[in-house]
Amino acid sequence: MPGAIHAEGLVKTFGDVRALDGVDLDVPEGTVLGLLGPNGAGKTTTVRCLTTLLRPDSGRAVVAGVDVLKHPDTVRRSIGLSGQFAAVDEYLTGRENLQMVGRLYQMRGKAAKERAAELLEQFHLADAADRPAKTYSGGMRRRLDLAAALVVSPPVMFMDEPTTGLDPRNRQQLWEVIQQLVSGGTTLLLTTQYLEEADHLAHDIAVVDHGRVIAQGTSDQLKARTGGERVEVVVHERDRIASTAEVLRALGKGETTIDQHTRKLTVPVTGGAKLLAEVIRELDGRGIEIDDIALRRPTLDDVFLSLTGHTAEARPGTAEDTGNTTDTTDTTDTEGAVK
C-alpha cells in the first residue's frame, strides 16, 4: 500500500523551466521524510503540488489516502502546511491569529480559544499572545506561523524549511515539537537546507536536484554511498593550500575539496588512523604548519557534494529563485483550511 504521502512522476514547468521532472515519493504513515536540496531544486514546488496549491502538469499524488487532483478539498481537511514565509495577519494578535485559523477549520469558539492557548504556551509565545503580530520579531512570527499549522493536529504535515530564521534555541524547540508530533502518529514531509536537521529528524531522506529525486534512503545509507572516511586539514597559511592539496591527492582516494575562506581541505581516504598519521608525517616533512587535522565519517554535505557536484547552497537562476515561488501558506476555504 502507498504511504500517507505518495507521488508518482510529478512534472511541473514554468515557461521554459522544468521545476519538477518526474518526482516519485512515498512516505509511510507516522514517519518523517526529509526533502533535501538547494534553492531551486524543486522542494517547494513539490510541496505546493502535494498540498493542492499547484496543479502538476502530469503525474499522480495521494495524501492521507485521498487523490490530490480529484479531491483537493478533502485533502485540505487532512493536512497542515507551514510554508517558507510566515503567513500571519499583522493586525491581529497572536491569540487572534490562532483562533481565526481554528474557526476556519470549523472549530467551535471555545475549542479554538483553548487550542490557541495551548499552542501559545507550547511555542513560548504566551507573554506576547495579546500583542499585534506586527510587533513580533521575525523568529516570533515564524513560531506563530508554525503554531497555526498545528491548530487541528492534522494527520499529515508539510513543513517547508520551517526553521529558516530561527535561532539555535528556537530551532531545537521546534525539533522537539516535531518529534512529539511524529511520536503521536503524524506523518511529516520536511524540506530543509540544514543538513543536520535532516540528519536529526528524518527517518528517510530524499535528495532533490534539478527537479528530480537523485537519491533516497536513511542518513546512514546515503552516507555509505560516499564510501570511507574523510581527512580534514586546516592549514595555517593560505599560500600552503596548494602544496597541502598535493599531499592529500597522493594519499587520498578521491577528489580533494578546498575551502579557500576557511583554509580547509577535505579528501576521502581508506586506512583510518594509520593513514592520518601518514598525512601528518608528510605535511610535517614539507614544513606545512596546520591549525587542525581530523579523521571523520562522511556527512550529508559529503553526500550532497558527491551526488550533485555542489554543496547544499542556493543555486541562482532556477525556478524557485526567479519569482515562481510565492508564499503558499495563506490559502483557505470555508470547508477546510490549509495553513
Short mmCIF file of all heavy atoms in Angstrom, two decimals, residues 231 233 240-258 265-269 275 279 282-283 286:
data_model
loop_
_atom_site.label_atom_id
_atom_site.label_comp_id
_atom_site.label_asym_id
_atom_site.label_seq_id
_atom_site.Cartn_x
_atom_site.Cartn_y
_atom_site.Cartn_z
N VAL A 231 39.62 12.81 5.63
CA VAL A 231 40.63 13.57 6.36
C VAL A 231 40.38 15.04 6.07
O VAL A 231 40.29 15.46 4.91
CB VAL A 231 42.06 13.19 5.96
CG1 VAL A 231 43.06 14.22 6.48
CG2 VAL A 231 42.42 11.81 6.51
N VAL A 233 41.90 18.87 6.83
CA VAL A 233 43.09 19.60 7.25
C VAL A 233 42.82 21.10 7.14
O VAL A 233 42.33 21.56 6.10
CB VAL A 233 44.31 19.24 6.39
CG1 VAL A 233 45.54 20.03 6.85
CG2 VAL A 233 44.59 17.75 6.43
N ARG A 240 49.97 27.86 1.57
CA ARG A 240 50.37 26.44 1.61
C ARG A 240 49.21 25.52 1.23
O ARG A 240 49.33 24.30 1.33
CB ARG A 240 50.88 26.07 3.01
CG ARG A 240 52.05 26.90 3.51
CD ARG A 240 53.22 26.98 2.52
NE ARG A 240 53.76 25.70 2.13
CZ ARG A 240 54.76 25.08 2.75
NH1 ARG A 240 55.31 25.65 3.81
NH2 ARG A 240 55.20 23.93 2.32
N ILE A 241 48.10 26.09 0.80
CA ILE A 241 46.95 25.26 0.41
C ILE A 241 47.30 24.35 -0.77
O ILE A 241 46.98 23.15 -0.78
CB ILE A 241 45.73 26.14 0.07
CG1 ILE A 241 45.15 26.76 1.35
CG2 ILE A 241 44.65 25.33 -0.65
CD1 ILE A 241 43.99 27.71 1.11
N ALA A 242 47.97 24.90 -1.77
CA ALA A 242 48.28 24.12 -2.98
C ALA A 242 49.18 22.93 -2.65
O ALA A 242 48.95 21.81 -3.13
CB ALA A 242 48.93 25.02 -4.02
N SER A 243 50.20 23.15 -1.84
CA SER A 243 51.11 22.04 -1.52
C SER A 243 50.43 21.01 -0.62
O SER A 243 50.70 19.81 -0.71
CB SER A 243 52.38 22.58 -0.86
OG SER A 243 52.07 23.42 0.25
N THR A 244 49.52 21.47 0.24
CA THR A 244 48.76 20.53 1.07
C THR A 244 47.85 19.68 0.19
O THR A 244 47.71 18.47 0.40
CB THR A 244 47.92 21.30 2.11
OG1 THR A 244 48.78 22.11 2.91
CG2 THR A 244 47.16 20.33 3.01
N ALA A 245 47.26 20.30 -0.83
CA ALA A 245 46.39 19.57 -1.75
C ALA A 245 47.17 18.48 -2.47
O ALA A 245 46.65 17.38 -2.73
CB ALA A 245 45.76 20.53 -2.75
N GLU A 246 48.44 18.74 -2.81
CA GLU A 246 49.28 17.72 -3.46
C GLU A 246 49.44 16.50 -2.56
O GLU A 246 49.34 15.36 -3.01
CB GLU A 246 50.66 18.30 -3.79
CG GLU A 246 50.66 19.33 -4.90
CD GLU A 246 52.06 19.86 -5.16
OE1 GLU A 246 53.02 19.29 -4.58
OE2 GLU A 246 52.21 20.84 -5.90
N VAL A 247 49.67 16.75 -1.27
CA VAL A 247 49.82 15.64 -0.31
C VAL A 247 48.54 14.83 -0.23
O VAL A 247 48.56 13.59 -0.28
CB VAL A 247 50.20 16.19 1.08
CG1 VAL A 247 50.19 15.07 2.11
CG2 VAL A 247 51.56 16.86 1.02
N LEU A 248 47.42 15.51 -0.11
CA LEU A 248 46.15 14.81 0.04
C LEU A 248 45.76 14.05 -1.22
O LEU A 248 45.20 12.95 -1.15
CB LEU A 248 45.05 15.80 0.44
CG LEU A 248 45.24 16.50 1.79
CD1 LEU A 248 44.04 17.39 2.08
CD2 LEU A 248 45.43 15.49 2.91
N ARG A 249 46.07 14.62 -2.38
CA ARG A 249 45.76 13.91 -3.63
C ARG A 249 46.57 12.63 -3.75
O ARG A 249 46.10 11.61 -4.26
CB ARG A 249 46.03 14.82 -4.83
CG ARG A 249 44.87 15.76 -5.15
CD ARG A 249 45.04 16.38 -6.52
NE ARG A 249 46.13 17.36 -6.52
CZ ARG A 249 45.95 18.65 -6.31
NH1 ARG A 249 44.73 19.12 -6.05
NH2 ARG A 249 46.98 19.48 -6.33
N ALA A 250 47.79 12.68 -3.26
CA ALA A 250 48.65 11.50 -3.34
C ALA A 250 48.22 10.40 -2.37
O ALA A 250 48.34 9.20 -2.68
CB ALA A 250 50.10 11.90 -3.06
N LEU A 251 47.70 10.78 -1.22
CA LEU A 251 47.36 9.79 -0.19
C LEU A 251 45.87 9.46 -0.13
O LEU A 251 45.48 8.44 0.43
CB LEU A 251 47.81 10.30 1.18
CG LEU A 251 49.32 10.51 1.34
CD1 LEU A 251 49.62 11.13 2.71
CD2 LEU A 251 50.08 9.20 1.17
N GLY A 252 45.03 10.33 -0.70
CA GLY A 252 43.60 10.12 -0.63
C GLY A 252 43.08 9.19 -1.70
O GLY A 252 43.82 8.70 -2.55
N LYS A 253 41.75 8.96 -1.67
CA LYS A 253 41.11 8.04 -2.61
C LYS A 253 39.97 8.70 -3.38
O LYS A 253 39.01 8.05 -3.78
CB LYS A 253 40.54 6.84 -1.84
CG LYS A 253 41.61 6.00 -1.14
CD LYS A 253 42.56 5.36 -2.14
CE LYS A 253 43.59 4.50 -1.44
NZ LYS A 253 44.54 3.88 -2.39
N GLY A 254 40.09 9.99 -3.60
CA GLY A 254 39.04 10.70 -4.33
C GLY A 254 39.40 12.16 -4.49
O GLY A 254 40.53 12.59 -4.19
N GLU A 255 38.45 12.95 -4.92
CA GLU A 255 38.68 14.37 -5.18
C GLU A 255 38.90 15.12 -3.86
O GLU A 255 38.19 14.92 -2.88
CB GLU A 255 37.47 14.96 -5.91
CG GLU A 255 37.62 16.42 -6.26
CD GLU A 255 36.41 16.97 -6.97
OE1 GLU A 255 35.51 16.17 -7.32
OE2 GLU A 255 36.34 18.21 -7.16
N THR A 256 39.86 16.01 -3.87
CA THR A 256 40.12 16.88 -2.72
C THR A 256 39.31 18.16 -2.87
O THR A 256 39.40 18.84 -3.90
CB THR A 256 41.61 17.23 -2.62
OG1 THR A 256 42.38 16.04 -2.47
CG2 THR A 256 41.88 18.15 -1.44
N THR A 257 38.51 18.47 -1.87
CA THR A 257 37.74 19.71 -1.90
C THR A 257 38.47 20.75 -1.06
O THR A 257 39.03 20.44 -0.01
CB THR A 257 36.31 19.52 -1.37
OG1 THR A 257 36.36 19.04 -0.03
CG2 THR A 257 35.56 18.53 -2.23
N ILE A 258 38.44 21.99 -1.54
CA ILE A 258 39.19 23.07 -0.90
C ILE A 258 38.26 24.24 -0.61
O ILE A 258 37.54 24.70 -1.50
CB ILE A 258 40.35 23.55 -1.81
CG1 ILE A 258 41.31 22.40 -2.12
CG2 ILE A 258 41.10 24.72 -1.16
CD1 ILE A 258 42.36 22.75 -3.16
N LEU A 265 40.87 21.73 3.75
CA LEU A 265 40.90 20.78 2.66
C LEU A 265 40.36 19.45 3.16
O LEU A 265 40.64 19.04 4.29
CB LEU A 265 42.33 20.57 2.13
CG LEU A 265 43.04 21.80 1.56
CD1 LEU A 265 43.78 22.57 2.66
CD2 LEU A 265 44.04 21.39 0.45
N THR A 266 39.58 18.77 2.31
CA THR A 266 38.96 17.50 2.69
C THR A 266 39.15 16.49 1.57
O THR A 266 38.98 16.82 0.40
CB THR A 266 37.45 17.69 2.96
OG1 THR A 266 37.26 18.73 3.91
CG2 THR A 266 36.83 16.40 3.48
N VAL A 267 39.49 15.26 1.96
CA VAL A 267 39.69 14.21 0.95
C VAL A 267 39.20 12.87 1.50
O VAL A 267 39.39 12.57 2.69
CB VAL A 267 41.18 14.11 0.55
CG1 VAL A 267 42.04 13.63 1.72
CG2 VAL A 267 41.36 13.20 -0.66
N PRO A 268 38.53 12.05 0.67
CA PRO A 268 38.16 10.69 1.10
C PRO A 268 39.42 9.84 1.25
O PRO A 268 40.36 9.97 0.46
CB PRO A 268 37.29 10.17 -0.04
CG PRO A 268 36.91 11.37 -0.85
CD PRO A 268 38.01 12.35 -0.68
N VAL A 269 39.42 8.96 2.25
CA VAL A 269 40.59 8.12 2.50
C VAL A 269 40.16 6.72 2.90
O VAL A 269 39.02 6.49 3.30
CB VAL A 269 41.50 8.71 3.61
CG1 VAL A 269 42.03 10.08 3.21
CG2 VAL A 269 40.75 8.78 4.94
N LEU A 275 46.48 5.97 8.18
CA LEU A 275 46.61 6.91 7.06
C LEU A 275 46.71 8.35 7.57
O LEU A 275 47.48 9.16 7.04
CB LEU A 275 45.40 6.74 6.13
CG LEU A 275 45.38 7.48 4.77
CD1 LEU A 275 44.99 8.92 4.90
CD2 LEU A 275 46.71 7.33 4.04
N VAL A 279 49.58 11.16 6.75
CA VAL A 279 49.34 12.52 6.26
C VAL A 279 50.10 13.52 7.13
O VAL A 279 50.76 14.44 6.62
CB VAL A 279 47.83 12.85 6.27
CG1 VAL A 279 47.60 14.33 5.97
CG2 VAL A 279 47.09 11.99 5.25
N GLU A 282 53.82 13.46 6.38
CA GLU A 282 54.13 14.06 5.08
C GLU A 282 54.05 15.58 5.14
O GLU A 282 54.91 16.30 4.60
CB GLU A 282 53.18 13.52 4.02
CG GLU A 282 53.49 13.98 2.61
CD GLU A 282 54.81 13.45 2.09
OE1 GLU A 282 55.28 12.40 2.58
OE2 GLU A 282 55.39 14.10 1.19
N LEU A 283 53.01 16.09 5.81
CA LEU A 283 52.88 17.55 5.94
C LEU A 283 54.03 18.12 6.76
O LEU A 283 54.58 19.18 6.42
CB LEU A 283 51.54 17.90 6.60
CG LEU A 283 50.27 17.58 5.79
CD1 LEU A 283 49.03 17.84 6.62
CD2 LEU A 283 50.23 18.41 4.50
N ARG A 286 57.22 18.43 4.82
CA ARG A 286 57.25 19.55 3.88
C ARG A 286 57.23 20.90 4.59
O ARG A 286 57.20 21.94 3.94
CB ARG A 286 56.05 19.46 2.94
CG ARG A 286 56.08 18.27 2.01
CD ARG A 286 55.02 18.41 0.94
NE ARG A 286 54.99 17.29 0.03
CZ ARG A 286 54.56 17.36 -1.23
NH1 ARG A 286 54.14 18.53 -1.71
NH2 ARG A 286 54.54 16.30 -1.99
#
